[in-house]
Amino acid sequence: MIDYTSPDFWPQLFDTMLKGTLETLWMTGVAILFTIIVGLPLGIVLVGTEKGRFLSAPLGSPALGVTINRVLGFIVNLGRSVPFIVLMIALIPLTRLLLGSFIGTGPAIFPLTLIAIPFFARVVEIAVKEVDSGLLEAADSIGATRWQLVRRVILPETAPAIVLGIATTITSIINFSAMVGVVGGGGLGNVALTYGFQRYSWVHIVAVVVVLFVIVLLVQWACNALARSLDHANRASHAADVIGADA
């Protein structure tokens, strides 16, 4: 049992929480980076390859567009339907093969990324579908390439929604990261499991909950502020375009 009256208890609690927090931030940071790199283009392609959309006929083949859309849609739906704990356990052999081990914060990033990519891709998909079709048609009518359409219209228009989606995805990754403690993934989940469950320390449990709550609060606050800033920038840009057109 843990001795709460021991003079070493609070310093040890601080060290344990600091180590767990840094591990959780590391896992979440790397996982969200790879999630954005893969999930952002995946979400755009999912929308673009729909019938009548800007990527519906890649290489001049509508059939190829349909095939890509269905395959990617199947993969995303499959990824979203598997519970994280099941995915994490199922990936143990592959994680060990690719990274040499399935224990530790590094290997834990692999399943965290795989579970977050389909979720974030759907967030991006919803954001892209909200883009005014008139803007896309206007850009297409002046001869914009597919890449220019994405870079100059879709990404700026969807940026606020995508930033808010990133906040939601980060929150999900943080929640999932608490589960990787089950397989020795480290982080705050491991602290809760080792001290809260196995050694019955309610102080550690409360500390983990408070730290997770503060992290999520700060992430949401930062992303809300960034989304508002991007939205104001978009509105200012549109206003400038209108004034320029009227002039």
Side-chain angles (χ1 to χ4, degrees):
M1 291 292 291
I2 292 178
D3 183 7
Y4 298 112
T5 61
S6 169
D8 295 330
F9 174 75
W10 294 105
Q12 288 176 354
L13 173 66
F14 177 80
D15 291 341
T16 301
M17 291 302 301
L18 179 62
K19 181 174 182 291
T21 302
L22 292 177
E23 288 177 348
T24 294
L25 292 177
W26 165 250
M27 288 188 290
T28 304
V30 177
I32 192 62
L33 177 63
F34 284 111
T35 297
I36 294 173
I37 291 174
V38 178
L40 180 59
L42 181 58
I44 293 174
V45 172
L46 268 173
V47 179
T49 51
E50 289 180 351
K51 186 178 181 181
R53 297 279 189 170
F54 56 95
L55 291 174
S56 59
L59 303 176
S61 172
L64 179 59
V66 172
T67 302
I68 293 174
N69 183 269
R70 289 180 178 175
V71 170
L72 293 181
F74 174 79
I75 293 172
V76 168
N77 288 334
L78 179 64
R80 293 187 61 199
S81 64
V82 180
F84 178 65
I85 190 72
V86 176
L87 177 70
M88 184 173 59
I89 294 172
L91 285 175
I92 285 177
L94 182 59
T95 305
R96 183 190 288 129
L97 177 66
L98 295 176
L99 303 173
S101 173
F102 66 91
I103 298 174
T105 55
I109 293 171
F110 183 56
L112 285 174
T113 303
L114 287 188
I115 198 69
I117 286 175
F119 177 82
F120 184 63
R122 285 300 184 198
V123 170
V124 174
E125 181 186 16
I126 294 171
V128 174
K129 285 184 175 178
E130 293 297 320
V131 175
D132 186 356
S133 58
L135 289 175
L136 299 176
E137 291 171 1
D140 192 50
S141 66
I142 61 175
T145 64
R146 302 302 90 176
W147 168 242
Q148 289 172 328
L149 202 65
V150 171
R151 187 170 64 89
R152 304 292 294 274
V153 179
I154 292 176
L155 288 181
E157 289 295 322
T158 59
I162 289 177
V163 168
L164 293 177
I166 289 174
T168 305
T169 307
I170 290 175
T171 302
S172 297
I173 293 175
I174 290 173
N175 291 334
F176 289 138
S177 73
M179 298 184 199
V180 300
V182 175
V183 293
L188 291 171
N190 192 51
V191 174
L193 182 69
T194 304
Y195 292 91
F197 179 68
Q198 297 177 348
R199 304 177 69 179
Y200 308 107
S201 171
W202 60 269
V203 175
H204 285 81
I205 288 291
V206 172
V208 167
V209 171
V210 170
V211 171
L212 288 175
F213 175 71
V214 171
I215 292 174
V216 170
L217 203 65
L218 291 176
V219 167
Q220 191 64 56
W221 173 80
C223 288
N224 284 347
L226 180 58
R228 282 196 300 270
S229 175
L230 291 170
D231 190 45
H232 288 321
N234 279 347
R235 292 174 186 274
S237 176
H238 289 321
D241 291 341
V242 171
I243 292 172
D246 290 342

